[in-house]
Amino acid sequence: MTTADPEARGARPPGSVAPQTDPAADPSAGAPLGLPAEIPATRRERIRAGLRDSLAAGLGVVPLGVAFGVLVLQAGLPWWVAPSLSVFVYAGSIELLLVGLIAAGTPIATMALTTFFVNFRHVFYAFSFPLHLVRGRLARLYSIWAMTDEAYAIVTPIPREQRSATRLLTLQLALQTYWVGGGLLGVALASVLPGEIKGLEFSLCALFTVLALDAIRSRDDVPSLLIAGLSVSFGLLFVPGAPLFAALILFAVALAVRALFAARRDRTEAPVSDV
């Protein structure tokens, strides 16, 4: 007697024949990073899949973490600020902003409000992030905490039949390990550098650009790209004093409106079953 694996939802009954699909018509056939056709069968394979998923983003997260660690020391802050923010805040964009805010002696209320608006986009991530796969209170709390831009960009293109809680949590743990380790490496590097390095802040923008291009290419989400471009243009033209802040608010509102229209359209187009 065998026990069914609750995560192996895509498994076929023994003795059944795999259906033949056209790679051009099958969305899972074009999955990124050479993903398998169905969810990995064993826990070890799911862990390996999560680690494999994290490698591409890890190549960008580690150098970004190094830049963050260097910035911490260059701002005159103690070395332990880097791992503390990486563990307890764990949001690359706001961590880089907090370094400057803390160094400038910014009031806590201002830092809290800035953190809220910069990270407000994560509310929209939750609509399509597969948190329902994660069982257990602590595991789900960590998955919510570690729902970063990188994790979202990697997970959402993965076909539903290939997702699992083990794979998701492995990916998130790996990404945070890269980030914390990169920050510690940056602190060590900054302690022996003879002078200051300029322009490290751009590494975050470069990483987000690559992730956005990958997500758009994987999901053909052209409307989101257009909304983002229009939001940034509006901020630069009409709110030159705070273009990023204005663009973030406009982008969030536009995405909310788009989500409402999409939900209404889905309800309208849903077939009505005869009872």
Side-chain angles (χ1 to χ4, degrees):
M1 181 176 179
T2 59
T3 303
D5 188 342
E7 290 186 345
R9 299 178 307 281
R12 292 185 298 272
S16 64
V17 180
Q20 300 297 322
T21 58
D22 181 5
D26 185 6
S28 65
L33 304 179
L35 297 172
E38 60 183 29
I39 191 171
T42 67
R43 184 178 182 86
R44 179 174 296 181
E45 289 175 351
R46 291 193 286 269
I47 292 175
R48 288 177 180 174
L51 292 174
R52 186 171 62 248
D53 295 339
S54 71
L55 288 178
L59 294 176
V61 170
V62 172
L64 181 59
V66 172
F68 170 67
V70 172
L71 284 174
V72 167
L73 285 197
Q74 288 186 170
L77 301 175
W79 70 269
W80 50 263
V81 170
S84 297
L85 290 177
S86 298
V87 171
F88 297 109
V89 177
Y90 189 40
S93 55
I94 192 60
E95 285 180 55
L96 289 169
L97 287 175
L98 284 176
V99 169
L101 295 177
I102 294 172
T106 306
I108 294 179
T110 301
M111 290 192 288
L113 187 63
T114 302
T115 301
F116 173 78
F117 279 112
V118 171
N119 285 342
F120 188 71
R121 65 189 184 279
H122 291 266
V123 174
F124 300 98
Y125 289 174
F127 294 153
S128 55
F129 199 74
L131 286 171
H132 63 281
L133 298 177
V134 182
R135 306 297 180 187
R137 181 175 300 176
L138 291 178
R140 177 166 290 195
L141 284 175
Y142 175 76
S143 187
I144 294 172
W145 180 259
M147 190 171 53
T148 59
D149 301 280
E150 294 82 5
Y152 182 83
I154 294 170
V155 170
T156 49
I158 298 177
R160 295 177 184 274
E161 64 272 11
Q162 299 176 27
R163 300 173 181 175
S164 68
T166 301
R167 184 173 187 171
L168 173 60
L169 290 171
T170 300
L171 165 67
Q172 292 180 297
L173 281 168
L175 290 175
Q176 187 167 19
T177 300
Y178 298 149
W179 178 247
V180 176
L184 291 173
L185 183 59
V187 167
L189 179 62
S191 64
V192 298
L193 285 175
E196 196 172 301
I197 301 178
K198 300 292 185 179
L200 290 175
E201 298 87 349
F202 182 73
S203 55
L204 180 68
C205 179
L207 177 61
F208 281 177
T209 301
V210 173
L211 289 172
L213 291 174
D214 277 345
I216 293 168
R217 202 163 43 236
S218 301
R219 305 180 66 192
D220 295 327
D221 198 1
V222 177
S224 293
L225 176 62
L226 294 176
I227 293 173
L230 291 174
S231 300
V232 172
S233 300
F234 178 88
L236 291 173
L237 291 174
F238 299 103
V239 195
L244 180 59
F245 186 74
L248 285 173
I249 294 178
L250 182 60
F251 186 60
V253 172
L255 286 181
V257 173
R258 183 187 173 200
L260 290 174
F261 275 106
R264 181 177 298 179
R265 185 185 64 243
D266 292 342
R267 287 195 299 267
T268 303
E269 296 178 354
V272 180
S273 58
D274 296 331
V275 179

